[in-house]
């Protein structure tokens, strides 16, 4: 079926490629991606142990005034995970510099799973920024992007009512990385011809010495050419 659709798929791809490139385009080369705009963060001493229980994802909310009680979506992870183990309340995780959080493995798995299930971060760009190093690089089977460029490009290219991602299995957390399998149905935000395709694969998030993610690496189950040939209006 893919062979029969090859001519039309190639025409659709020729139309879609410039739009996809514009979504993630940057005037600078990859080695300069390290100059990512610094994350604005809440100043002052670390929050008190009375944390809200929700996890905030990056988005369009602004930060509150200095000393505010909550952090906007563009802020780092704005809450600690509260739990009870053996009937005792777990202490909040330690805050790292720059508004980042260092979570234990169980809390980190929960935060990543929230980004997948609730925030749909791989198709909306709404990730929990506090889990990522600001110099984290995002790599898929096509190219590599800086943090802000990935967020902006993902939102422009895939954020719509059709695009959706699902967790395929569980989230695995070790000292060095977090990984999970995913399935997606994607619709490209292309004028006049919103192309669609399915996608499945594995995502590996490499952790640095401070526990923050320093690398995002997508590996697709199918080769790029096969994914491109699956594009349909």
């Amino acid at each position: 079926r893919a062979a029969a659709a090859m001519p039309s798929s190639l025409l659709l791809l020729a139309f879609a490629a410039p739009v996809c490139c514009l979504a993630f385009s940057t005037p600078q080369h990859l080695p300069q991606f390290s100059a990512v705009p610094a994350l604005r963060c809440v100043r002052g001493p670390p929050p008190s142990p009375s944390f809200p229980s929700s996890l905030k994802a990056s988005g369009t909310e602004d930060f509150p005034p200095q000393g505010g009680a909550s952090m906007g979506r563009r802020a780092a992870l704005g809450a600690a995970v509260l739990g009870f183990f053996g009937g005792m309340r777990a202490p909040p995780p330690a805050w790292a510099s720059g508004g980042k959080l260092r979570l234990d493995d169980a809390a980190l798995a929960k935060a990543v799973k929230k980004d997948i299930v609730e925030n749909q971060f791989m198709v909306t760009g709404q990730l929990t920024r506090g889990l990522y190093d600001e110099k984290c690089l995002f790599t898929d089977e096509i190219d590599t992007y800086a943090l802000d460029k990935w967020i902006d490009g993902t939102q422009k290219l895939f954020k719509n009512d059709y695009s959706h991602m699902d967790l395929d299995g569980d989230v695995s957390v070790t000292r060095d990385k977090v990984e999970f399998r995913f399935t997606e149905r994607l619709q490209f935000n292309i004028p006049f011809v919103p192309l669609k395709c399915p996608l499945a694969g594995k995502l590996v998030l490499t952790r640095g010495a401070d526990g923050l993610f320093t690398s995002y690496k997508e590996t697709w189950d199918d080769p790029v050419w096969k994914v491109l040939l699956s594009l349909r209006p």
Side-chain angles (χ1 to χ4, degrees), residues 24 116 120-127 132 136-147 149-151 153-155 157-158 164-166 177-186 188 197-206 213-224 227:
F24 290 95
I116 298 167
Q120 295 282 297
F121 81 109
M122 291 178 69
V123 297
T124 65
Q126 292 179 272
L127 51 73
Y132 293 78
C136 179
L137 292 179
F138 292 69
T139 303
D140 57 23
E141 299 283 8
I142 305 296
D143 207 345
T144 298
Y145 321 93
L147 175 57
K149 186 58 61 177
W150 183 88
I151 292 174
T154 300
Q155 290 175 345
L157 199 57
F158 299 120
H164 184 85
M165 73 170 296
D166 287 298
K177 63 184 178 181
V178 171
E179 61 182 317
F180 61 86
R181 287 191 52 77
F182 64 88
T183 58
E184 296 176 318
R185 68 178 190 216
L186 301 174
F188 294 78
C197 75
L199 188 66
K202 180 176 71 172
L203 179 63
V204 176
L205 299 165
T206 303
F213 298 138
T214 58
S215 172
Y216 166 113
K217 172 63 176 177
E218 279 184 44
T219 303
W220 301 346
D221 289 350
D222 293 325
V224 175
V227 173

Side-chain angles (χ1 to χ4, degrees), residues 3 19 37 40 52 61 67 76 81 100 106 109 115 119 137-138 143 148 158 177 182 184 188-189 196 211 213 215 229:
V19 180
R40 295 177 297 162
E61 290 183 9
V81 178
K100 304 294 184 178
D115 271 354
N119 297 330
L137 292 179
F138 292 69
D143 207 345
D148 283 317
F158 299 120
K177 63 184 178 181
F182 64 88
E184 296 176 318
F188 294 78
N189 292 325
K196 302 174 183 177
F213 298 138
S215 172
L229 287 177

Side-chain angles (χ1 to χ4, degrees), residues 16 20 32 39 41 49 53 88 105 107 133:
C20 297
Q32 296 174 314
L39 173 66
C41 63
S53 59
M88 299 186 65
D105 289 354
D133 187 286

Side-chain angles (χ1 to χ4, degrees), residues 101-102 108 131 175 206-213:
L101 270 179
R102 293 176 181 170
L108 181 57
L131 303 178
R175 181 177 181 180
T206 303
R207 306 175 71 181
D210 57 2
L212 299 177
F213 298 138

Side-chain angles (χ1 to χ4, degrees), residues 37-88:
L39 173 66
R40 295 177 297 162
C41 63
V42 176
R43 299 185 180 89
S48 68
S50 178
F51 294 105
S53 59
S54 61
L55 300 174
K56 296 291 186 179
S58 66
T60 57
E61 290 183 9
D62 290 328
F63 275 77
Q66 182 172 339
S70 63
M71 302 173 69
R73 292 186 195 175
R74 297 292 292 180
L77 186 64
V81 178
L82 300 179
F84 291 88
F85 300 93
M88 299 186 65

